[in-house]
Amino acid sequence: MPTEQHGYEDLRGEGWTRLLATARRKLERTSGALDGEIGLSTPSEAERRTVIGVTGRYRPETAKRLAVPLTALDTYLYDRYGTGLLQTLGHLNGPLRDRPAERADEDTRRGQVLACARSSRLAAESWFAAWLDRLAADGTLTRLLRRGDAPLIDAAVRVLEKLPEDPSRILPLPVLAEWATGDTKALVPGTPLEQLVLRALAQRTGDDVPRERAGRRALWESAGAIADDLASQVLVLGIRPEGDTVVCDWLRDAADFGIPFRLTLHQLASDPIVPAAGDIFVCENPAVLRAAAAELEAGSAALVCTEGVPSAACHQLLADAVRAGARLYWRADFDWVGLRITATAVERHGARPWRMTTADYREALAQGQSTPLGGPPAASPWDPRLARAMRESGQAVMEERLLPALLADLTRT
């Protein structure tokens, strides 16, 4: 076999570089088959002379494209260097890749990963199947395979399977990570595993993965996992609990002065706080609670604000209240997320929708401009006509537009 000193150095010149690179790409696509030809567009003078030497055919200087049969190139190299095209390319730049075989192997491994994931007890859940389909369709699974990180899919499935089935149970994220992976830090913010699981949870809620940390924390909490029981909070007004704890005293004082108050999950878990009020109203946006505090002060009915998707602290407070006999009246924005939040509250807490009917929506819609609905549609089981009306109009209405009616409902008699 010749060495660089015996002639291969010629093949690194201008006349050969692009020709051999094109041949390598062609052969890697065809598993090394020498049938067919390669072509050079707008060839240089050196490339034109090289092609003439390889093929034995004259090519004019005006030629815009030069075609070279792979067999001719193979024969030329063998006659001159004693090695054919495949061996020569291997000597110059390393062994050729067999891309069809690589794709077949990758397809096999992709199928194995998906088959294993689809054997999960969650496979019958539509959101779980959609999550896997999206990972396969958008290239995420392929990228994981090529990086050697395919086991992350199995780890993500184990995390999802370990999430609490009882919505009233809160599981710390480090504990969840330990149970699922053996590593308490596997789900810290920003890890690839956390990203995969959050995509699944967002698929389950029908929304996108939030970009901000607070939104991602709320997404975890919606699944019963808590990163920080001090960061999980709920905003309240007019909550007058029973009990003689310090926090109960704070809440009663705040209610007497019409001051909004924030409760943490840590406070709620340390000493259960049971509101004395029989009726508790729940809104989505802080603007509603702020208006109630400003206009009604101590005269406001008990009001809890979810500030979007309810936090673990919010669910804890309301679950304790319902167990003590409280009745929840729940509302959210007239958008798809609002419908999902309300439907979950009805199912999870037995809440009664509060001004969340078709008539309420149409009345609010008629009062002014609205924003287009975004995201996947949702159902409104308590009033199926509401979701249909929203689909027909294509418009979302924020709950602030109902503020006069909401404040009237909140006025204590």
Side-chain angles (χ1 to χ4, degrees):
M1 178 179 291
T3 64
E4 291 286 342
Q5 289 74 22
H6 292 89
Y8 272 142
E9 67 272 11
D10 296 341
L11 300 181
R12 299 190 186 278
E14 178 190 348
W16 284 97
T17 302
R18 194 158 65 114
L19 182 66
L20 292 177
T22 303
R24 174 179 282 271
R25 289 195 296 271
K26 171 82 170 180
L27 292 169
E28 287 184 339
R29 290 196 304 268
T30 61
S31 300
L34 291 174
D35 53 342
E37 63 180 24
I38 56 175
L40 294 179
S41 300
T42 60
S44 67
E45 177 62 18
E47 289 172 336
R48 185 179 74 89
R49 291 182 179 277
T50 296
V51 171
I52 291 174
V54 169
T55 62
R57 292 174 51 202
Y58 176 74
R59 309 297 174 89
E61 296 179 1
T62 56
K64 299 298 184 184
R65 183 180 185 277
L66 302 179
V68 181
L70 288 174
T71 53
L73 185 54
D74 181 63
T75 300
Y76 177 87
L77 292 170
Y78 189 84
D79 290 344
R80 182 168 180 178
Y81 300 103
T83 56
L85 177 57
L86 296 174
Q87 297 92 330
T88 302
L89 290 173
H91 180 85
L92 289 172
N93 298 109
L96 274 69
R97 297 173 59 182
D98 187 343
R99 294 186 182 276
E102 290 176 4
R103 284 194 296 272
D105 177 66
E106 190 172 85
D107 288 343
T108 298
R109 290 186 291 130
R110 184 186 295 106
Q112 291 171 342
V113 171
L114 290 174
C116 181
R118 287 170 178 149
S119 67
S120 166
R121 62 178 178 80
L122 300 173
E125 301 288 343
S126 60
W127 62 267
F128 184 84
W131 169 64
L132 289 177
D133 288 344
R134 291 185 67 177
L135 293 181
D138 68 7
T140 299
L141 179 52
T142 298
R143 289 191 293 274
L144 291 174
L145 285 168
R146 293 176 180 175
R147 294 202 311 255
D149 286 338
L152 286 175
I153 299 294
D154 181 58
V157 171
R158 293 198 304 272
V159 171
L160 294 169
E161 290 176 336
K162 295 291 186 181
L163 287 169
E165 295 184 19
D166 180 358
S168 66
R169 182 185 174 197
I170 301 299
L171 187 64
L173 269 181
V175 175
L176 175 62
E178 169 68 23
W179 286 359
T181 70
D183 180 2
T184 58
K185 298 182 179 179
L187 293 172
V188 298
T191 60
L193 181 57
E194 188 224 23
Q195 301 295 323
L196 286 172
V197 177
L198 285 178
R199 285 187 60 177
L201 298 181
Q203 187 74 47
R204 186 169 70 170
T205 60
D207 210 348
D208 296 326
V209 177
R211 294 183 179 181
E212 70 283 358
R213 175 171 291 188
R216 298 162 84 88
R217 186 168 59 240
L219 185 56
W220 274 118
E221 291 181 5
S222 72
I226 179 74
D228 184 351
D229 60 1
L230 292 176
S232 180
Q233 301 179 0
V234 56
L235 179 62
V236 303
L237 176 69
I239 295 292
R240 294 174 169 84
E242 301 172 346
D244 57 0
T245 67
V246 172
V247 177
C248 288
D249 288 341
W250 290 345
L251 281 168
R252 284 191 291 267
D253 287 344
D256 288 342
F257 288 95
I259 299 173
F261 193 92
R262 285 192 178 276
L263 282 166
T264 68
L265 180 61
H266 181 268
Q267 292 168 334
L268 290 163
S270 300
D271 291 295
I273 296 170
V274 181
D279 293 338
I280 298 177
F281 292 83
V282 183
C283 65
E284 179 179 351
N285 298 312
V288 175
L289 186 141
R290 188 180 297 112
E295 298 192 23
L296 304 180
E297 298 181 335
S300 174
L303 179 62
V304 172
C305 179
T306 67
E307 299 183 275
V309 177
S311 65
C314 180
H315 282 304
Q316 183 72 51
L317 174 66
L318 296 177
D320 289 343
V322 169
R323 280 192 290 270
R327 294 176 297 275
L328 304 185
Y329 295 88
W330 198 299
R331 69 154 296 100
D333 290 327
F334 284 118
D335 58 12
W336 299 132
V337 175
L339 294 193
R340 278 188 285 272
I341 290 174
T342 306
T344 299
V346 171
E347 180 180 359
R348 181 168 179 171
H349 298 296
R352 307 173 190 185
W354 170 33
R355 291 193 180 273
M356 287 290 288
T357 67
T358 307
D360 294 319
Y361 171 70
R362 286 176 173 160
E363 181 179 348
L365 188 64
Q367 292 178 16
Q369 293 184 346
S370 301
T371 57
L373 281 166
S380 52
W382 65 93
D383 182 357
R385 294 183 304 163
L386 172 58
R388 289 199 296 270
M390 289 171 60
R391 280 195 298 270
E392 290 170 0
S393 74
Q395 298 295 306
V397 179
M398 302 299 102
E399 64 180 348
E400 288 90 335
R401 189 171 293 177
L402 286 75
L403 200 52
L406 301 183
L407 293 179
D409 292 341
L410 291 170
T411 302
R412 298 176 67 202
T413 56

